[in-house]
Amino acid sequence: MKKPRLIAAVAAAALIPLALAGCSGSGSSSGSAKSLTIEDYFTSSYNPIYNKCAKQLGITLKINHVAGAGLISKVLQQASSKTLPDVLMLDNPDVQQIAESGALSPLSDYGLSAKGDVPAVEKANTYKGKLYGLQPVTNSIALYYNKKLLSAAGITPPKTWDELRADAKKLTKGSTYGFAMSNINTYEGTWQFLPFMWGNGGDEKNIDTTATTEALQFDLSLQSDGSMSKSSVNWAQADVNNQFIAGKAAMMINGPWQLPALNAAKGLEFDSVPIPTKTGSPTVAPLGGEAFTVPETGNKASMTTAGKFVGCLNTSKMQTYNAGVTGNVPTNIVASKAWGASHPQVASFVTTVQTARARTGELGPDWPKAATKIYTAVQLALTGKATPAAALKQAQSQSQ
């Protein structure tokens, strides 16, 4: 979960079944392909990962990195013009929507499964009983803390809501807030609120419940205490990270993709733990990360080779290599635990993804509607326009 997505465009496209027989591909119509096209929203830093599998398969690659905000609209255009790439990377909440359009082929066609991966991977990438994507690595969010500030205050990292609230109050001094998170009116705001909602038993099918009200009330209490800045309603996750690095927040919720910036911050000593829950039970956080899929290009040779390529990316060995390049967590349970043991900075994320939940696990392609309701309610409550209960009731009743 790093970039916003064009859900509206996807939803519109989901209504258009795609007839893709005879689409262009990079291989011959039979046998095996010697080259593949790949499309993602990464940067060239990801290329060494691709090149390792290309070398293993004896093929060449044409890699097309596009802007994250433009990927889905581009995919839809390519589907219409029958110019889909051989291998397509998607943010995992988009997989079911694109699969619904008919643009993807089931990975069982290539003998692939999510066996051995954390459970949420299969749920996120399965549509109507068929697996369409595999995630070599994943991520989630955790509670980072400033070791010096907590040590000076005699505080150990919190495990419950009560501890988090008390610690945040104690750590709030001068221009430093005790706690920071993103409550922005985008999917990032929803993403950061989910551990509180899900961890308290809330559910996206109906957010107008006591469990979700309690979660939103807790979020509001941190602001009411003065422990969380009122500006959090305007902060994206990068802004939250900047506050933490600048010493203006003693604790923050964020992901492992911030580690390069955190490690580069001079004098900053930090660590992270799973996000506290009301009772100290295991955190239920959203599953992040991108999936690799094989589009229905109509070129069977290319699709077969693309299936082998996706399978190569998802081997335990390549997952571990990928984690080293990207800073994420291998999705294979055994590989992830080994990775966490040897890389303490991501240990909290390794723990969190074991019990992570797929955002599309319950509602599938309708998830964006629920996500919009959730961040709308958070905004209404934190800006004082409605009580948490009224905000959730109002947001739940809105139609999209």
Side-chain angles (χ1 to χ4, degrees):
M1 172 73 187
K2 299 179 186 178
K3 302 178 175 71
R5 298 171 288 111
L6 300 180
I7 298 300
V10 179
L15 302 176
I16 307 172
L18 303 175
L20 295 168
C23 296
S24 61
S26 56
S28 60
S29 59
S30 62
S32 60
K34 298 298 181 185
S35 65
L36 293 176
T37 55
I38 300 176
E39 190 165 279
D40 65 23
Y41 57 51
F42 295 139
T43 66
S44 59
S45 64
Y46 212 93
N47 292 3
I49 298 171
Y50 293 145
N51 290 335
K52 272 188 171 290
C53 279
K55 183 178 181 180
Q56 183 175 321
L57 297 177
I59 60 174
T60 59
L61 301 175
K62 181 179 180 181
I63 304 168
N64 186 22
H65 302 299
V66 303
L71 177 63
I72 297 303
S73 57
K74 184 177 180 66
V75 168
L76 299 175
Q77 291 173 352
Q78 291 171 321
S80 297
S81 61
K82 302 179 181 178
T83 55
L84 285 163
D86 300 310
V87 177
L88 174 64
M89 180 232 73
L90 293 168
D91 195 9
N92 78 68
D94 291 333
V95 170
Q96 293 190 29
Q97 295 169 307
I98 299 300
E100 183 184 39
S101 76
L104 305 178
S105 61
L107 294 186
S108 59
D109 290 355
Y110 317 104
L112 299 175
S113 74
K115 184 179 180 181
D117 291 345
V118 294
V121 167
E122 184 168 11
K123 289 186 177 180
N125 294 285
T126 296
Y127 176 69
K128 290 190 173 179
K130 294 183 178 180
L131 182 72
Y132 288 93
L134 282 174
Q135 296 179 227
V137 293
T138 186
N139 59 59
S140 190
I141 44 181
L143 181 74
Y144 284 98
Y145 61 93
N146 184 310
K147 294 171 68 173
K148 288 182 179 176
L149 293 179
L150 264 68
S151 177
I155 293 172
T156 56
K159 295 180 180 179
T160 67
W161 286 3
D162 285 345
E163 292 174 357
L164 174 59
R165 187 175 180 183
D167 292 349
K169 273 186 180 180
K170 193 172 182 179
L171 290 163
T172 300
K173 292 181 180 178
S175 62
T176 299
Y177 288 93
F179 177 78
M181 65 180 284
S182 170
N183 288 300
I184 197 170
N185 59 341
T186 69
Y187 296 128
E188 285 193 46
T190 297
W191 159 266
Q192 292 234 332
F193 180 68
L194 286 175
F196 297 105
M197 185 180 95
W198 283 343
N200 198 45
D203 190 276
E204 56 269 36
K205 287 181 179 176
N206 179 14
I207 61 173
D208 181 18
T209 63
T210 300
T212 303
T213 300
E214 288 180 352
L216 186 50
Q217 182 63 55
F218 177 72
D219 192 2
L220 178 61
S221 71
L222 293 166
Q223 178 181 283
S224 301
D225 289 344
S227 305
M228 179 175 72
S229 172
K230 291 182 178 179
S231 297
S232 73
V233 296
N234 298 314
W235 287 346
Q237 295 181 101
D239 301 315
V240 173
N241 197 52
N242 289 337
Q243 294 291 316
F244 185 75
I245 288 175
K248 296 184 181 299
M251 300 183 287
M252 72 162 179
I253 292 179
N254 231 310
W257 55 88
Q258 305 291 8
L259 285 170
L262 293 171
N263 285 321
K266 191 175 181 180
L268 177 63
E269 296 182 15
F270 66 92
D271 204 343
S272 64
V273 293
I275 294 171
T277 59
K278 185 177 180 181
T279 62
S281 58
T283 303
V284 185
L287 181 83
E290 290 76 17
F292 287 90
T293 67
V294 180
E296 286 277 7
T297 63
N299 188 319
K300 297 303 180 185
S302 293
M303 290 171 67
T304 297
T305 303
K308 293 178 181 177
F309 187 81
V310 171
C312 174
L313 291 176
N314 206 54
T315 60
S316 294
K317 184 177 181 180
M318 282 302 300
Q319 287 191 10
T320 300
Y321 178 74
N322 187 323
V325 173
T326 64
N328 287 311
V329 175
T331 53
N332 179 275
I333 293 172
V334 175
S336 67
K337 290 181 177 177
W339 185 253
S342 59
H343 295 76
Q345 282 194 335
V346 297
S348 63
F349 299 100
V350 170
T351 298
T352 298
V353 301
Q354 307 301 315
T355 54
R357 184 166 159 179
R359 283 162 283 173
T360 51
E362 283 195 352
L363 299 178
D366 284 337
W367 160 251
K369 297 177 183 176
T372 300
K373 292 177 180 178
I374 292 168
Y375 73 65
T376 297
V378 171
Q379 284 271 309
L380 287 171
L382 294 190
T383 57
K385 294 179 180 175
T387 64
L392 290 162
K393 186 179 184 66
Q394 179 179 332
Q396 178 62 36
S397 65
Q398 70 184 24
S399 59
Q400 293 158 11

